[in-house]
Amino acid sequence: MSPPDVPRVVVLLATFDGMPYLPDQLRTVLDSEGVQVRVVASDDGSSDGTADWLAAQARTEPRLTLLPGAPAGSAAANFYRLLVDVETADDELVALADQDDLWYPDKLARCAAQIADGCAGVSSDVVAFRPDGRRSYIRKAFAQRPFDYVCESPGPGSTFLLDADLVARCRAQLADPDGPMRQMTYHDWAIYAVARGAGLRWRILDTPTLDYRQHDTNVMGARTGLRAYADRLRLVTSRWHRAQAALAAATAAEAAETWNQDCETIIALHQLERLLADTSFRARWALARRAGALRRRRTDQAALAAMVMGGMW
């Protein structure tokens, strides 16, 4: 029995064909130190026995539950389903877990300390590791900008820890099946937009909390090389990323209008929505001038401004 002051954490685990890595990942989650943890998993129609393995583990591990139900269709939809369907208590924090990372033992305890200090959400730097043994530090803890949440996430969703209030706000926006949050492809980016739009504090830890596995099935991650560059360039030039930014602005505006009530923030977000929908030279110039507020890292700010003015983004 854990002492009453030990943080209680519900870990939402989204899986799909995860058997090569899932056992090691789950072990690191359940071995978390300084917290009382339970895991709720949702499988997205795996064909490699992932759901059967989770069900078997749940029969002997009381801290693990597998949700029944039909496939969600994507990683984001699976996490949205977990956020909406998993019941959590007012004193429980919520963490998100991929199926293939390796969590550090003190990950949740360190993030929970930030929640206790008044943050609604916490994320962190990570250490990427690859099958050939290469490891690289991935920094995410650049200074937050006024509207960085319109263009980027504060780090991988697997580093996230959320307080009960932020979870409730996300559930409220996800209740609308046609709302902008539901349409966002990356759940971590969407959650960050809700938090910042609502005027809540978010902390990005400048130390890693997990080893971030990289492999061929990573959609984005920390991939490098010509193929990764080509994939990112395709997302930029196809205007996919710009469309997602427009959805993030709309998601944040909805949060601001519902909970923040800061007129300046609401007006600025709606202005960004309009600029993101307009590809005229005047709109590109106005958007490029805002690049410093839209990305955290200076090199990313410069790249964004150049791509906007060049008509690539």
Side-chain angles (χ1 to χ4, degrees):
M1 186 91 178
S2 299
D5 59 342
V6 172
R8 299 172 61 202
V9 181
V10 182
V11 178
L12 305 182
L13 171 63
T15 64
F16 175 72
D17 287 350
M19 283 311 301
Y21 317 112
L22 180 58
D24 288 340
Q25 157 74 348
L26 184 61
R27 173 184 51 80
T28 65
V29 174
L30 292 174
D31 286 348
S32 295
E33 300 172 353
V35 296
Q36 183 179 348
V37 66
R38 66 183 178 100
V39 180
V40 182
S42 173
D43 186 70
D44 195 17
S46 293
S47 60
D48 69 344
T50 294
D52 291 338
W53 184 84
L54 284 167
Q57 296 300 307
R59 285 193 286 271
T60 59
E61 173 52 74
R63 294 176 294 170
L64 173 63
T65 302
L66 174 62
L67 292 183
S74 71
N78 207 6
F79 276 112
Y80 294 153
R81 184 242 178 151
L82 283 160
L83 281 168
V84 171
D85 289 355
V86 175
E87 294 186 5
T88 55
D90 291 342
D91 64 341
E92 285 184 309
L93 308 177
V94 171
L96 310 181
D98 295 334
Q99 63 190 7
D100 50 7
D101 301 321
L102 298 175
W103 286 19
Y104 298 169
D106 64 347
K107 171 188 188 297
L108 293 176
R110 278 197 284 145
C111 293
Q114 298 298 320
I115 300 290
D117 195 40
C119 293
V122 185
S123 57
S124 76
D125 293 349
V126 297
V127 174
F129 71 106
R130 296 167 176 81
D132 61 7
R134 286 180 298 150
R135 296 172 66 84
S136 56
Y137 193 99
I138 307 298
R139 184 182 175 194
K140 296 295 183 179
F142 298 96
Q144 294 173 66
R145 305 296 177 176
F147 299 101
D148 65 327
Y149 52 91
V150 171
C151 280
E152 60 183 327
S153 165
S158 53
T159 67
F160 282 20
L161 186 66
L162 317 174
D163 73 0
D165 179 55
L166 176 52
V167 171
R169 294 173 198 246
C170 288
R171 285 172 177 159
Q173 293 196 219
L174 289 169
D176 180 2
D178 299 316
M181 186 179 184
R182 281 279 186 183
Q183 299 175 55
M184 291 191 68
T185 302
Y186 289 112
H187 59 283
D188 45 8
W189 187 358
I191 292 168
Y192 185 50
V194 172
R196 294 289 304 282
L200 304 177
R201 284 179 57 196
W202 190 287
R203 175 74 188 278
I204 308 175
L205 297 178
D206 59 2
T207 56
T209 58
L210 57 81
D211 286 346
Y212 189 42
R213 190 187 300 271
Q214 300 298 297
H215 46 77
D216 288 342
T217 57
N218 285 121
V219 177
M220 292 292 282
R223 295 165 58 219
T224 58
L226 290 176
R227 182 179 174 184
Y229 176 80
D231 288 344
R232 288 182 172 89
L233 185 61
R234 175 180 53 81
L235 292 177
V236 169
T237 56
S238 68
R239 303 289 175 85
W240 173 89
H241 186 268
R242 184 174 178 137
Q244 289 291 306
L247 289 171
T251 297
E254 182 178 324
E257 289 168 342
T258 304
W259 298 293
N260 193 354
Q261 303 298 316
D262 179 353
C263 292
E264 289 187 6
T265 297
I266 294 170
I267 291 170
L269 286 168
H270 284 308
Q271 287 176 337
L272 284 170
E273 284 187 80
R274 289 192 292 272
L275 291 174
L276 288 163
D278 186 350
T279 57
S280 68
F281 178 82
R282 184 175 180 179
R284 296 204 311 271
W285 174 248
L287 197 57
R289 291 181 62 190
R290 289 167 169 79
L294 292 171
R295 297 300 300 259
R296 292 189 297 277
R297 191 166 56 173
R298 291 191 181 277
T299 54
D300 292 339
Q301 296 168 13
L304 177 62
M307 287 189 294
V308 169
M309 289 307 300
M312 294 178 62
W313 189 83

